[in-house]
Amino acid sequence: MFVLVEMVDTVRIPPWNFQSKLNEAISEELNKKLANKVVYNVGLCICLYDITKLEDSYIFPGDGASHTKVHFRYVVFHPFLDEILVGKIKYCSQEGVHVTMDFFDDILIPPESLQQPAKFDEAEQVWLWEYETDEGAHDLYMDQGEEIRFRVADELFVDTSPTGPATAAKETPKKEPPYTLIGTICEPGLGLLSWWNS
């Protein structure tokens, strides 16, 4: 679920931070820049793990700050495909079940990946699984706040870089999250935890 990613960046240290130790100032700037941000095709950055190499620092004309090329490792949330994770149902919609892991909300389980037969209840705004037993069918609701186990089936990175004025003037595009996990409900007995634990 969490991986260490080796990265390289040039860090700018403003003059008012020169009294701090170089490692501390660089750590602070890297966490300001990357923590809780999605790096395209890498994942959600959590925090700095360590600094592996510092190159020479330079001060450029017209800028009193120092610029240092830094090699470092960062803790990143990037689950591998087919990994099983536990989250909570945030809400349900026609497009599927939206799941949260408290620190990461962009998880979608589409209708075709739910345990079948499943249907969407318009009145309650929840998905339900029509569970078959010897006594007949039972409707098991996927209520908001319920814990759920899901398997990571796919991941979707969207480049959210700013667009130029020519494309921005046409229409305002729908805002998409930069990183989305597409999941599938685990086998019966591994899905909604409260169904089987009560």
Side-chain angles (χ1 to χ4, degrees), residues 111-123:
E112 62 272 9
S113 297
L114 297 173
Q115 291 168 327
Q116 299 299 324
K119 67 179 182 181
F120 186 68
D121 186 340
E122 287 285 345

Side-chain angles (χ1 to χ4, degrees), residues 7-182:
M7 300 176 149
V8 178
D9 195 9
T10 300
V11 178
R12 181 182 184 273
I13 308 293
W16 51 87
N17 282 348
F18 285 171
Q19 80 276 4
S20 302
K21 291 183 179 176
L22 184 60
N23 279 3
E24 291 173 8
I26 287 174
S27 297
E28 183 181 332
E29 292 299 319
L30 285 172
N31 279 324
K32 261 196 245 179
K33 181 177 183 177
L34 294 172
N36 206 25
K37 305 271 189 325
V38 172
V39 176
Y40 190 70
N41 285 338
V42 174
L44 174 68
C45 293
I46 305 296
C47 65
L48 179 68
Y49 183 75
D50 64 358
I51 296 171
T52 56
K53 182 180 177 187
L54 291 175
E55 295 187 11
D56 293 335
S57 297
Y58 297 96
I59 297 178
F60 299 114
D63 183 10
S66 72
H67 300 262
T68 308
K69 189 171 182 180
V70 182
H71 300 254
F72 58 96
R73 293 187 297 177
Y74 219 84
V75 178
V76 173
F77 173 69
H78 188 160
F80 56 86
L81 295 181
D82 291 330
E83 183 172 359
I84 295 176
L85 302 174
V86 177
K88 288 187 179 176
I89 296 175
K90 188 174 180 186
Y91 66 93
C92 295
S93 69
Q94 287 281 4
E95 58 185 16
V97 177
H98 299 265
V99 179
T100 181
M101 293 180 71
D102 292 329
F103 66 93
F104 186 74
D105 290 340
D106 297 316
I107 303 168
L108 173 67
I109 302 172
E112 62 272 9
S113 297
L114 297 173
Q115 291 168 327
Q116 299 299 324
K119 67 179 182 181
F120 186 68
D121 186 340
E122 287 285 345
E124 300 272 339
Q125 289 292 301
V126 295
W127 280 93
L128 56 98
W129 175 29
E130 297 171 328
Y131 180 67
E132 293 287 335
T133 65
D134 295 337
E135 301 164 2
H138 297 282
D139 291 342
L140 300 175
Y141 289 84
M142 298 182 192
D143 292 321
Q144 183 176 351
E146 292 287 332
E147 277 197 340
I148 188 170
R149 283 190 193 182
F150 62 95
R151 176 173 284 129
V152 177
D154 198 9
E155 61 184 2
L156 177 66
F157 284 95
V158 176
D159 186 4
T160 57
S161 303
T163 56
T167 54
K170 293 177 187 174
E171 63 181 62
T172 55
K174 178 185 169 195
K175 187 172 181 177
E176 294 184 60
Y179 181 44
T180 305
L181 293 178
I182 309 297

